[in-house]
Amino acid sequence: MKFAKIIMLNFAFLTLSGCVGGLTDRQDREYAAFENDGVLVEEKTPTLGALLGVLPGAGSFYTGNPGRGITNLLLWPFSILWEPVNGWNGARKINYDMTAYRLKKQHEKELLILEFQYKNGEIDNNEYYFKLQRLTQKYQYQY
């Protein structure tokens, strides 16, 4: 009886902890903005992640979560309830993170170029602040 309780508690814990959380509301809005602006870096396909999630642990393996993949493989067929969601959410998180990283690096690079132009006298004060404002607007994402 005690052994059965331990197994049930472990199963409940694994079931409740098995899901990859989705993006926050802010990240979800930014993700949509990335898509609309054509800057989304799609490293992983959410639909493919969800479809692979029908197979035991495959959605988690696809999104680089081998620990969850093994757990979900062991919990199959129950894991089919959450594994497609893991694949979908995991792919979107990867895409969000990669897009935010790329935009941050591009922003930093463009700021350095602008600073270099200003310090070398290639542009004056007014042009510098105008270009700085345009650059800020261009990278309006929160990343």
Side-chain angles (χ1 to χ4, degrees):
M1 189 71 157
K2 186 175 182 181
F3 183 69
K5 285 182 182 181
I6 291 172
I7 289 175
M8 291 302 287
L9 283 173
N10 282 332
F11 179 75
F13 173 75
L14 290 172
T15 300
L16 294 173
S17 67
C19 294
V20 172
L23 299 173
T24 65
D25 288 340
R26 180 186 60 82
Q27 290 172 332
D28 199 42
R29 287 189 303 273
E30 288 175 352
Y31 192 96
F34 293 159
E35 284 181 311
N36 289 336
D37 293 348
V39 297
L40 180 68
V41 176
E42 192 167 41
E43 291 284 319
K44 301 288 183 179
T45 308
T47 303
L48 180 58
L51 289 173
L52 288 172
V54 175
L55 303 173
S60 292
F61 285 115
Y62 175 69
T63 58
N65 294 302
R68 278 201 177 103
I70 291 169
T71 301
N72 290 327
L73 179 64
L74 295 173
L75 292 175
W76 196 83
F78 302 105
S79 64
I80 200 168
L81 297 173
W82 62 80
E83 185 61 5
V85 176
N86 281 350
W88 173 270
N89 286 340
R92 285 176 47 96
K93 278 184 168 252
I94 290 169
N95 295 344
Y96 175 85
D97 290 342
M98 292 304 297
T99 303
Y101 177 78
R102 183 169 291 165
L103 288 172
K104 182 180 179 193
K105 289 298 179 188
Q106 287 175 350
H107 188 194
E108 289 171 355
K109 181 181 176 182
E110 289 184 40
L111 276 173
L112 283 174
I113 291 170
L114 184 60
E115 291 291 327
F116 180 79
Q117 290 173 336
Y118 179 67
K119 287 180 180 179
N120 285 334
E122 296 175 28
I123 56 175
D124 64 16
N125 246 3
N126 290 336
E127 190 174 0
Y128 170 77
Y129 286 110
F130 175 74
K131 286 185 175 186
L132 184 60
Q133 184 180 18
R134 285 184 49 209
L135 197 57
T136 302
Q137 289 171 349
K138 180 179 178 181
Y139 294 101
Q140 63 190 340
Y141 308 106
Q142 296 291 320
Y143 57 81

